[in-house]
Amino acid sequence: MKKQKIAAFVKELNLRMKKEPITLRYIHILGTVIFFTSISSLVILLALYLNQRLQTSLFLQDNHLSSIKPLTSPSLSPHSRGSDIADKELMRRAAKAPHDAAMNVTDHPKVAFMFLTRWDLPLSPLWEIFFNGHEELYSIYVHTSPNFTEEPPESSVFYKKRIPSKAVEWGKSSMMDAERRLLSHAILKPSNARFVLLSETCIPLFNFTTVYTYLMGSTRSFLGSFDDPRPMGRGRYNPKMLPHVSLSDWRKGNQWFELSRIVAAEVISDRRYYTVFKDHCRPPCYIDEHYIPTLVNKICPEMNSNRTVTWVDWSRGGSHPARFVRKDIRVGFLDRIRFGSNCSYEGEVTNVCFLFARKFHVSTLEPLMKIAPYLYGV
């Protein structure tokens, strides 16, 4: 049928051309050639375009598939970089972990020391002294930059303690992601009962026995959570957080927390509020200073002592606390931190309020090692 129509069209065109003047006939011929040439060009261009789109689609699909790695246990491949898939699986497993410490008959409840660092731990020799002889009472987890691949000696307490990690940016949600990643790894160990977040600039102020007894003897977590009416407090609140988080819920606190297992489980299990914070708490709102303090204030304030056990000096102002160097290290200076405050501990007033302190530069290591026998009784 189609061929008959084309033949009829050509026959009619020939008859019309015979009747028309020769000049007009050439014009018709030229127009017809141009018309069919244009149609052919358009068809060719369309075919080339579709071919290019198909190749691009296939390339992106292959690239996506090659980027997905087989999912393994988060406790494996300590040097591998984290992935979104691995993180989701880790969080899923951690959310199902028991909220109370579960131990065998021969186990003791442990303190999980979680180090959030950029590279190595320059003050590790001091921590080696602190941990020595107490191997059954602690666990160590280290989150570093994924670009950092060096491993300490096998004799070190930090040997093979790194977890799969991702890059962390100061003030961004990636900082809070790293904290939750550390908590999730630590809570998978049933005997971990207390969870301490530390940085590479932190030092222990007392020996291990004192720290362990202090933390295990407490029925509450140690997390600063207060209502700050200043622009750097309430001023960071975003009304878009409503209805999940109101201004009356909003709290601020020290990033470096110590949590009981029950509170740590609440933090890891939370999805609703963390999504709200990731969407609406961005610089100059710093999620690591507001998310956990606000969450704990909202869902379990009675489980928090509302103070931190990690001392920092904010007296110099600015967005970062004071950093201490070699010349600052004196017994008197450290004793003021150790015994110079009053606070409540299990209903009693005590002058031992801080167990850790920061920020200590690597230059402080030598004088700290000299003072270590006094600090730790070794």
Side-chain angles (χ1 to χ4, degrees), residues 64-77 80-87 89 164:
H64 171 69
L65 291 173
S66 66
S67 67
I68 299 177
K69 299 177 180 178
L71 185 61
T72 57
S73 169
S75 62
L76 300 178
S77 304
S80 65
R81 301 186 182 209
S83 70
D84 290 337
I85 296 176
D87 269 359
E89 173 63 13

Side-chain angles (χ1 to χ4, degrees), residues 12 42 68 128 132 152 169 183 185 213 281 298-299 303 377:
E12 183 182 351
L42 286 173
I68 299 177
E128 299 275 359
N132 186 42
E169 293 183 73
L183 270 176
H185 276 277
T213 303
C281 180
K298 191 170 178 67
I299 66 175
M303 297 181 182

Side-chain angles (χ1 to χ4, degrees), residues 356-371:
F356 313 98
R358 65 186 300 267
K359 301 172 62 173
F360 289 80
H361 186 262
V362 63
S363 64
T364 63
L365 179 59
E366 184 180 347
L368 283 170
M369 292 293 283
K370 291 179 179 178
I371 298 175

Side-chain angles (χ1 to χ4, degrees), residues 250-322:
W250 189 250
R251 292 295 184 272
K252 182 180 178 180
N254 192 329
Q255 173 188 4
W256 311 101
F257 57 73
E258 191 283 330
L259 303 179
S260 68
R261 187 176 180 92
I262 294 176
V263 175
E266 292 290 346
V267 172
I268 293 167
S269 301
D270 171 54
R271 295 292 181 271
R272 175 189 300 171
Y273 300 111
Y274 192 49
T275 300
V276 172
F277 271 81
K278 290 192 77 169
D279 289 342
H280 303 299
C281 180
R282 299 177 180 178
C285 176
Y286 301 109
I287 189 170
D288 54 278
E289 294 181 3
H290 294 281
Y291 166 63
I292 295 182
T294 300
L295 178 68
V296 171
N297 174 66
K298 191 170 178 67
I299 66 175
C300 52
E302 73 285 354
M303 297 181 182
N304 185 29
S305 62
N306 202 27
R307 66 179 177 89
T308 181
V309 287
T310 300
W311 181 88
V312 292
D313 180 8
W314 289 99
S315 64
R316 302 179 190 180
S319 56
H320 296 280

Side-chain angles (χ1 to χ4, degrees), residues 51-63:
N51 182 62
Q52 181 64 32
R53 287 295 300 270
L54 179 61
Q55 289 181 356
T56 301
S57 176
L58 290 173
F59 170 77
L60 291 175
Q61 184 178 15
D62 289 343
N63 189 51

Side-chain angles (χ1 to χ4, degrees), residues 19-47:
K19 295 177 182 179
E20 292 174 352
I22 191 147
T23 304
L24 191 58
R25 192 181 306 167
Y26 283 128
I27 292 174
H28 274 283
I29 293 172
L30 182 62
T32 302
V33 171
I34 292 173
F35 172 76
F36 282 107
T37 302
S38 300
I39 293 297
S40 300
S41 299
L42 286 173
V43 171
I44 292 170
L45 289 173
L46 180 60

